[in-house]
Amino acid sequence: PKRAVAAFDSAFFGHLGFLAANMLRAPFHNLTGALFASVPKDAGPTHWYRKLSAVAASLALVSDFALAILGGELKRREILSGRLGDVLSQLYLASCVLKRFRDDHEPSAARPLVDYCLARALYQIEQSLDAVLRNFPSRIIGLMLRPLVFPWGRHRRPPSDQLTQTCARLLLSPSETRDQLTD
């Protein structure tokens, strides 16, 4: 029993430390535009890596509070957990886009596709996080988290029509970029 209590205490206080770090990291990255977030060495589109880092910190913060408030009930709150899952899915897909771009040696011709995918993912992430905070089980906590997650308000826009048209032309006409994507 003593070892079990010690293990529980270690895990519990470790999680509290993680929560405290996220309460500092998320607003810091969101206030600074993730300017100080770490990025992979020699990464081309560093601003996308930084923005994903800020979103990941925000997701961790909101998820921790949702879990602390709801506990096992979070699973039964399917809309809320689904929206958190949507954020995680978009983070994963955006990370996959960046990894593929990097693995392909960052071809400049594919850059509009990367920009489109990341702009779309970040817009959808913002929509989902906003919906989570608007419908948070504790209205007070939702209001408290909002300035930590959106210190400058919601500002993401979906990809522009011009970028969408550029991507469509790139994908509809035969090119090396299209061939690479269809491998």
Side-chain angles (χ1 to χ4, degrees), residues 4 8 12 28 48 78 91 94 110 115 121 153 161:
F8 175 81
F12 180 73
F28 177 73
W48 291 128
E78 293 178 9
L91 266 171
D115 292 342
D161 289 349

Side-chain angles (χ1 to χ4, degrees), residues 37-90:
S38 62
V39 296
K41 290 182 179 158
D42 303 325
T46 57
H47 67 286
W48 291 128
Y49 286 97
R50 287 188 173 109
K51 289 176 194 300
L52 289 182
S53 183
V55 168
S58 294
L59 173 61
L61 179 65
V62 172
S63 297
D64 280 343
F65 272 94
L67 190 57
I69 290 168
L70 293 171
E73 172 97 8
L74 180 59
K75 180 76 172 145
R76 289 185 293 284
R77 299 266 183 126
E78 293 178 9
I79 296 175
L80 184 69
S81 64
R83 286 179 178 140
L84 290 171
D86 290 345
V87 174
L88 183 62
S89 297
Q90 289 300 321

Side-chain angles (χ1 to χ4, degrees), residues 17-155:
F18 182 72
L19 177 61
N22 279 333
M23 286 182 72
L24 296 173
R25 190 168 65 111
F28 177 73
H29 283 322
N30 289 326
L31 279 169
T32 64
L35 190 61
F36 302 102
S38 62
V39 296
K41 290 182 179 158
D42 303 325
T46 57
H47 67 286
W48 291 128
Y49 286 97
R50 287 188 173 109
K51 289 176 194 300
L52 289 182
S53 183
V55 168
S58 294
L59 173 61
L61 179 65
V62 172
S63 297
D64 280 343
F65 272 94
L67 190 57
I69 290 168
L70 293 171
E73 172 97 8
L74 180 59
K75 180 76 172 145
R76 289 185 293 284
R77 299 266 183 126
E78 293 178 9
I79 296 175
L80 184 69
S81 64
R83 286 179 178 140
L84 290 171
D86 290 345
V87 174
L88 183 62
S89 297
Q90 289 300 321
L91 266 171
Y92 176 75
L93 292 172
S95 298
C96 289
V97 168
L98 288 175
K99 181 174 181 349
R100 172 71 188 259
F101 185 63
R102 189 165 179 173
D103 288 352
D104 288 346
H105 307 290
E106 301 180 1
S108 59
R111 184 62 188 265
L113 298 171
V114 171
D115 292 342
Y116 175 89
C117 290
L118 272 289
R120 184 173 185 276
L122 288 168
Y123 174 73
Q124 290 180 332
I125 286 169
E126 185 176 87
Q127 299 302 307
S128 294
L129 281 174
D130 177 59
V132 167
L133 294 176
R134 276 189 287 111
N135 296 287
F136 212 72
S138 166
R139 193 84 173 124
I140 293 169
I141 300 291
L143 290 171
M144 181 195 79
L145 289 173
R146 184 166 288 284
L148 301 178
V149 175
F150 301 121
W152 305 113
R154 293 176 45 226
H155 61 279

